Amino acid sequence: MSAPLPQSTPTQSPLSRPLTPATGLNDQSTMPVTPEGMPRLRGLGPDDKEARANLERIAEDATKTSGTIFVDQDNVFVKPPVLSALITLNQKLSPLQLDAYMSGDKISLRDVLKSALVNNLPIKISATTSQVARYQYYNALSNFLPAITNGVAMQGLRGNYVSPAGLYIPIRNPYFTSLNSFSQPIFEGGAIIFTARQQRHNFSASKYAFKGTVNDILLDSADHYYNLVRQDVLLQIRVKAVEVSKALVQVNEDLFTYGVNTELDVLKAKYQLSEDRQKLIKQQVARRESAVKLATVLNQDQGIDLEIKDRLVSKIRLVDTSLNPTALIKMAIDKRPELKKYEELRLAAKDAVKVARAAFFPQITFNGNIIGTGSNATSLSNKASNINTPVASGGSLGIGSIGSAAGLPVAASTTGSGAAFTTRTLYTIGVDVNWNLGGLGTSQLTQLEATRWQARKVQLEFNTELERICGQVRDAYLSSLAAENLIIETTDAVKYATEALRLAQVRFQEGVGTYLDVISAQHNYTDALIDKANAIIDFNTSQAKLLHAVGCLTVETGTAATPLKHEI
C-alpha cells in the first residue's frame, strides 16, 4: 500500500503553490504508467480516496438529485427553489423574488385563466366597446318613433312696429308663446330601416370582437404561465449546474494539491463555474421577468411574486390526434369569432350602401303642432266700432274701414278697461315633403361610391383574416407535432447524456479520461435537460395554441382531462 497522501496546510492556497515537476503536462517521467508500461491520461490514483469520494458525490448530485427530475418520458418534476443555492444580486433583495416585496399565492393554469377572465384590462375594454355598440343600436331603433318638441318663450315687448303700409304701431306688452309638436317620418328612402340594420350588425360584430379578445387573452395567459414554468425548470437546472461546477473546482484543487493535476485544470474548472454562475444570474432575472409579465396580463400587483402550484409538469394533450388539419380548419371557420365579426361588418357595410342610396329619395314626414300664445289683448269684437275709417285720409285705396292707426286691433291700448292677459291656442297638422340634393346630387353620389368601396374593403379584410386563421391552425398543428416527437427524442438524449457523464467521471477516476471530457459531458447533460423541459412545455403551449386557432379555448377546454375530439 502506498504511503498516505500529504495534507495541504490551511494557510496556503493551492493556486499560490509553485508548480512541481509532477504537474508538468510534458513531464513523461512522472506520468502514471499502466501495468503494461504504457502511459495513460492523468487521473486519480487508487489511493486518492478523498478525491474519489468527492467525484462520486458529484456524479450522484448531477445524475440522481438534479433540481429538475424527469419522472418519466412525459413528466418533469420541478423542485421548489432553494434560496441558499441562488446568487444574491442585492443584499436588500431576495435572490428569488428580486424586486418583489412579497410572495403571492401559488397558482395553477386554471387559476390563471379564471383570473384573466375577471381582471384582464383588454377584456374589460372590449366589453365596454360592445356596450357602446349596443346603445348605438338602440339609438338607431329610436328613429322609428315620432319626435316630440316642446318649447316655452316669454318676452317683454316694448317699442314701435312700422308696418309695410306705412304705419307705426306702439307696442307696450308682454308676449308668451308655447310650442308642442310631433314629427313622424313616413318615408326616407329606407334610411331609418337600413341604419338600424347597420347598427345591429355592428353590435353583433362587437360581441364577436369581445369573444375574440377573450380567446386571445386566454392564450396569452396560458403562454405566460407556461413560460413561468419553463423559467422555473431552467432555474433548477442552472442551480444544479453551478453546484456541480463548485464540486468540480474542489476536486481539481485537491488534485492540484496532491500533485496529480495542473494549475490550468483548476483555472478551467473555475472558468466553468464562472460561466454557470453567469447563466444562473441571467436565469434568476428571466424567471422574475416572466412572473412580472404574467402579473401584467392578470392585472395584478407586479410587486407580488407569482409561483407555480403544480410542480409536476406533465405532457397534456388538449386536442385529439384524430382531428387532422382539414377537420381543424373546418372547425376554425365555424368557431373563430374573428370570422364572424368580419361577416357582420360586411353585412353592416352593405346596409351602409343602402343608407347612402336613400339620400336620392324625398323625405315625407307627418307632423302636427299645438301653438299657444298669450298677451295683454282685447277681443276683436270689442273693437268693431273702431273699424270704420280708411287707412289714409284722402287716399282712394283702403283696406276695410280703418279710421286710424290707433284703431287697429293690434294697437289697442293695454291700459283700457277691456285689456287683459289672455292665451289662445292654434292647432296645425299636415304632411311635409322635402327633396334635398346637395351639389346637384354629386354629394350623395360620391358618398354612395365611398360606402361601396368600404364594403369591398371589409370583404377583403374577411378574406385576409380567413387566410391568417388557416395559417394559425396549420402552424399550431405542426408545432404540436414537432414538440411531441421532440419529447421522445430528448428523452433518449437525456438518458445518453446521463450515462455519458457517468462514464466520463469513471474514466477520469481511472486515469483514462481527462477533465475536459467531464466538462463536455456536464455541458451535454445540462443541455439535454433543458431540451427535454422545453419539449414538454412547448407541447403544452402548442396544444393551447391549437385550441385558440380553432376558436375553442376556454377555461374548461384549456384544463380538460380529456382532449377535444369534435366540435363543441
Side-chain angles (χ1 to χ4, degrees):
M1 180 177 294
S2 304
L5 294 172
Q7 301 295 326
S8 59
T9 59
T11 58
Q12 187 178 24
S13 172
L15 292 179
S16 62
R17 296 175 56 197
L19 293 176
T20 63
T23 60
L25 291 178
N26 296 323
D27 189 357
Q28 301 294 334
S29 61
T30 58
M31 292 184 66
V33 179
T34 61
E36 293 80 8
M38 298 296 295
R40 66 179 182 180
L41 299 175
R42 192 174 306 282
L44 297 179
D47 298 328
D48 299 334
K49 297 180 180 179
E50 183 177 353
R52 283 179 174 272
N54 284 337
L55 201 56
E56 289 173 358
R57 178 174 55 82
I58 293 172
E60 182 181 2
D61 288 342
T63 58
K64 297 181 181 179
T65 62
S66 57
T68 301
I69 301 176
F70 292 93
V71 180
D72 53 41
Q73 176 175 306
D74 299 332
N75 297 276
V76 56
F77 180 77
V78 186
K79 286 186 177 181
V82 180
L83 297 182
S84 60
L86 302 178
I87 299 175
T88 302
L89 305 182
N90 188 313
Q91 296 299 328
K92 298 180 180 180
L93 301 176
S94 166
L96 178 65
Q97 299 173 3
L98 296 181
D99 62 307
Y101 59 84
M102 66 176 293
S103 176
D105 296 333
K106 296 182 179 180
I107 56 175
S108 64
L109 177 59
R110 191 176 186 85
D111 297 332
V112 168
L113 297 181
K114 286 184 175 180
S115 179
L117 288 178
V118 176
N119 301 319
N120 182 262
L121 290 179
I123 289 180
K124 292 182 178 181
I125 293 173
S126 183
T128 303
T129 302
S130 180
Q131 291 300 314
V132 172
R134 173 195 295 271
Y135 286 100
Q136 288 176 342
Y137 171 50
Y138 293 163
N139 177 264
L141 291 178
S142 68
N143 292 330
F144 287 98
L145 302 175
I148 298 176
T149 303
N150 297 288
V152 177
M154 186 69 183
Q155 297 172 320
L157 302 180
R158 186 178 184 86
N160 298 291
Y161 172 73
V162 178
S163 70
L167 301 176
Y168 72 89
I169 305 170
I171 300 176
R172 306 287 188 274
N173 205 8
Y175 185 69
F176 166 82
T177 59
S178 67
L179 175 65
N180 303 96
S181 65
F182 74 91
S183 177
Q184 175 64 55
I186 298 177
F187 177 74
E188 291 190 357
I192 297 178
I193 296 176
F194 293 119
T195 298
R197 290 181 52 179
Q198 179 186 5
Q199 294 301 327
R200 184 188 66 186
H201 290 306
N202 285 333
F203 174 43
S204 298
S206 70
K207 291 191 292 184
Y208 287 121
F210 170 73
K211 293 181 180 179
T213 301
V214 171
N215 196 30
D216 292 340
I217 294 303
L218 288 180
L219 174 62
D220 200 23
S221 301
D223 188 56
H224 283 296
Y225 171 79
Y226 280 124
N227 187 52
L228 178 60
V229 174
R230 184 196 309 272
Q231 301 306 327
D232 259 351
V233 171
L234 297 184
L235 180 63
Q236 296 305 308
I237 294 174
R238 294 301 181 191
V239 166
K240 297 310 299 182
V242 169
E243 291 178 355
V244 172
S245 295
K246 286 181 179 179
L248 290 176
V249 168
Q250 181 62 45
V251 168
N252 277 275
E253 288 178 342
D254 291 344
L255 295 178
F256 179 78
T257 301
Y258 301 147
V260 294
N261 208 342
T262 67
E263 187 176 18
L264 180 61
D265 294 323
V266 176
L267 294 177
K268 287 179 180 178
K270 289 188 173 182
Y271 172 78
Q272 177 65 30
L273 173 61
S274 175
E275 189 178 51
D276 288 335
R277 285 175 61 87
Q278 293 176 45
K279 293 179 179 178
L280 177 58
I281 291 174
K282 293 179 181 179
Q283 189 56 44
Q284 289 178 218
V285 175
R287 184 225 163 258
R288 175 59 189 143
E289 288 176 344
S290 65
V292 171
K293 291 178 180 179
L294 180 58
T296 302
V297 172
L298 302 182
N299 192 27
Q300 295 183 3
D301 188 355
Q302 297 178 355
I304 300 178
D305 189 55
L306 299 177
E307 296 183 20
I308 60 174
K309 180 190 298 183
D310 301 327
R311 288 290 173 180
L312 183 63
V313 182
S314 304
K315 171 187 171 183
I316 302 175
R317 178 171 292 281
L318 301 177
V319 180
D320 194 80
T321 55
S322 62
L323 294 175
N324 56 35
T326 302
L328 292 171
I329 289 176
K330 289 181 179 179
M331 188 182 299
I333 293 175
D334 183 57
K335 294 294 184 180
R336 279 297 288 265
E338 291 87 350
L339 295 179
K340 297 180 182 295
K341 179 189 76 171
Y342 277 105
E343 176 62 18
E344 293 294 336
L345 291 178
R346 185 185 66 84
L347 296 175
K350 290 180 64 176
D351 288 329
V353 173
K354 297 176 182 178
V355 172
R357 188 182 295 119
F360 290 97
F361 296 92
Q363 289 81 44
I364 304 175
T365 307
F366 174 68
N367 56 57
N369 298 278
I370 302 176
I371 304 172
T373 57
S375 180
N376 288 326
T378 302
S379 175
L380 186 60
S381 60
N382 294 335
K383 293 298 181 178
S385 59
N386 293 329
I387 309 177
N388 55 16
T389 307
V391 174
S393 60
S396 60
L397 179 62
I399 304 174
S401 300
I402 301 176
S404 66
L408 290 171
V410 292
S413 173
T414 61
T415 59
S417 59
F421 191 85
T422 304
T423 61
R424 293 291 185 269
T425 304
L426 179 66
Y427 301 93
T428 67
I429 192 168
V431 177
D432 292 341
V433 179
N434 295 310
W435 194 1
N436 299 318
L437 295 176
L440 298 178
T442 56
S443 297
Q444 288 78 7
L445 181 61
T446 53
Q447 181 63 30
L448 176 61
E449 289 299 318
T451 54
R452 285 175 175 171
W453 282 105
Q454 178 65 26
R456 176 61 177 167
K457 174 186 174 184
V458 174
Q459 179 64 51
L460 295 175
E461 289 175 344
F462 174 86
N463 295 337
T464 302
E465 187 68 16
L466 178 60
E467 290 182 352
R468 187 180 71 87
I469 288 175
C470 292
Q472 285 182 349
V473 172
R474 294 189 179 278
D475 289 344
Y477 181 82
L478 292 175
S479 297
S480 177
L481 192 64
E484 185 174 20
N485 285 274
L486 284 175
I487 291 176
I488 300 174
E489 299 302 327
T490 53
T491 300
D492 294 337
V494 170
K495 293 179 180 178
Y496 167 78
T498 303
E499 181 64 15
L501 178 59
R502 187 188 68 82
L503 291 178
Q505 292 164 343
V506 171
R507 287 167 59 84
F508 181 64
Q509 294 180 37
E510 298 300 327
V512 294
T514 66
Y515 176 63
L516 291 178
D517 297 332
V518 178
I519 293 178
S520 178
Q522 174 62 30
H523 269 298
N524 294 336
Y525 178 70
T526 301
D527 292 341
L529 292 180
I530 293 175
D531 291 341
K532 174 69 175 182
N534 284 333
I536 295 177
I537 296 173
D538 286 343
F539 178 80
N540 292 345
T541 304
S542 64
Q543 286 287 294
K545 289 181 178 179
L546 191 55
L547 274 180
H548 166 270
V550 299
C552 296
L553 181 57
T554 63
V555 176
E556 288 70 25
T557 59
T559 57
T562 58
L564 179 69
K565 296 182 179 180
H566 53 77
E567 288 189 15
I568 58 174

